[in-house]
Amino acid sequence: MAYLGNPAYTMAVLEKHGFHFQKKYGQNFLIDKNILEKIVDAAEIGADDVVLEIGPGIGTMTQYLCERAREVIAVEIDDKLIPVLADTLSEYDNVTVIHEDILKVDIRALAEEKNGGRPIKVVANLPYYITTPIIMELFESRVPLDSVTVMVQKEVAERMKEGPGSKHYGALSLAVAYYAVAETVAEVPPACFVPRPKVSSMVIRLTCHREPPVAVADERFLFSVIRASFQQRRKTLVNGLNNAPWIPVDREEITRCVESLGYGPSVRGEKLTLEEFARLANLLWGKKKGMKGSHRA
Ligand code: SAM
């Protein structure tokens, strides 16, 4: 089987299997060999690595991963692609294709089974309609992760890398900062895919922290505070927190906690660094009464 990473081979495979793209699954297949190599190089896959690929499509990047990794697990939702993958990956005995929605897979259990709980690498050209839920699920479910190297919409990559004060800074930027260090690998124009997406894309590598950079009393409460702070972006931080039923702290106490960070009561959430959010969450954690509702906003 020839490498698929070029337009002619890709079209030949699609024709052979009578495959039709499904827009609802965010199917934009990579057809650029240079970009494929850049992604796999940036992920630094070695012969001892177990790699999870989310959405292998027709197996284009999977082939590259199989050449370098000890084992590849590829999770694909579209049943029409399962026979295609059986064909394009037939030469590799180090790949397992799982036909499932990635959001329904217990990735932590999978990592335990395939790599004895040691960190795995995630590599993917992600379906853009569920980029944020996939990234958050990987982080929040505490999958042992070495790195996550993914193609995402350019705008989402920018949100992941933003710092305080920018209009794109928000809950995703803070989650990424808490769990990883983000670096841009490449900007990818629509012409590198078939069919062409309407937006520009970016490959980003998230190298996961061994230990979080800040210490908090309760990790889930930190993210509840962050979510409350960005829920109504145009409101002050105090109002955002006060309006969130899952932050069971009086307005006066909230104001005092915010002021003890050195900010006035009209500051907005977008001004605070991760370290300041951690301090705020710890202060609020000490002031909270019985939870009014679930603290998982
Ligand atoms: N990796 C291939 C490539 O680069 O050419 C395909 C990437 S395409 C952007 C996204 C892939 O994710 C498609 O194959 C799509 O069917 C699959 N997909 C979409 N939603 C999914 C989900 N919830 N779980 C698993 N795979 C999904």
Side-chain angles (χ1 to χ4, degrees), residues 64-170:
Y64 284 78
L65 296 171
C66 288
E67 295 283 342
R68 300 200 191 181
R70 171 159 62 85
E71 194 164 352
V72 179
I73 312 152
V75 179
E76 174 56 59
I77 198 170
D78 187 352
D79 56 348
K80 303 279 187 310
L81 286 168
I82 304 305
V84 182
L85 289 163
D87 181 11
T88 59
L89 301 176
S90 61
E91 283 178 18
Y92 299 100
D93 60 6
N94 59 342
V95 59
T96 307
V97 174
I98 298 176
H99 176 210
E100 187 53 281
D101 176 346
I102 188 65
L103 295 177
K104 294 190 181 147
V105 174
D106 184 344
I107 306 172
R108 209 182 141 133
L110 202 59
E112 180 63 45
E113 180 197 327
K114 299 284 184 187
N115 209 25
R118 280 178 295 131
I120 61 166
K121 292 181 176 171
V122 175
V123 183
N125 170 14
L126 287 177
Y128 293 172
Y129 74 107
I130 45 168
T131 300
T132 304
I134 290 175
I135 303 268
M136 292 311 294
E137 178 59 26
L138 283 170
F139 285 149
E140 287 183 350
S141 62
R142 283 283 175 206
V143 177
L145 291 173
D146 179 275
S147 60
V148 176
T149 306
V150 282
M151 175 93 69
V152 297
Q153 216 172 307
K154 185 178 169 192
E155 188 213 309
V156 176
E158 282 165 355
R159 272 202 277 140
M160 287 183 189
K161 291 191 65 187
E162 277 315 342
S166 133
K167 72 172 185 261
H168 296 301
Y169 181 63

